[in-house]
Amino acid sequence: MRTKETLRVEIRVLMTEMARNGLLLGMAKNPTRMIELSHARTEILLSIAHRQGLLIEILSNEIEYSTGRKVA
């Protein structure tokens, strides 16, 4: 099971990969390579968004549990 800390680390790693991808994309000259890098960039963004959603859900559950109220 993923914890807040592991999700934060995963997000940080993915953001680093996103930065590397951006540098490679900027240097790419081959159109095929640019398409591959753009596709990878999209997949990285989707992974980041998914993990951020999981983190938000965990934090909402913690607030709900600690206060006893449902968080919208």
Side-chain angles (χ1 to χ4, degrees):
M1 185 173 151
R2 291 181 171 148
T3 64
K4 287 186 300 188
E5 292 75 25
T6 59
L7 284 170
R8 287 179 180 150
V9 168
E10 289 176 16
I11 290 168
R12 246 182 257 120
V13 168
L14 286 167
M15 290 175 75
T16 302
E17 288 301 315
M18 181 72 134
R20 284 188 190 130
N21 179 283
L23 289 172
L24 292 173
L25 188 57
M27 295 186 307
K29 305 248 187 276
N30 182 344
T32 303
R33 181 71 174 141
M34 292 172 81
I35 292 169
E36 291 171 354
L37 289 167
S38 294
H39 178 70
R41 190 173 189 83
T42 302
E43 293 300 317
I44 294 169
L45 280 171
L46 289 172
S47 295
I48 290 171
H50 176 71
R51 283 164 178 78
Q52 286 176 334
L54 292 173
L55 186 57
I56 289 168
E57 187 175 341
I58 289 171
L59 294 171
S60 295
N61 289 340
E62 283 183 359
I63 292 169
E64 185 179 327
Y65 179 75
S66 68
T67 63
R69 297 187 309 177
K70 179 97 173 133
V71 177

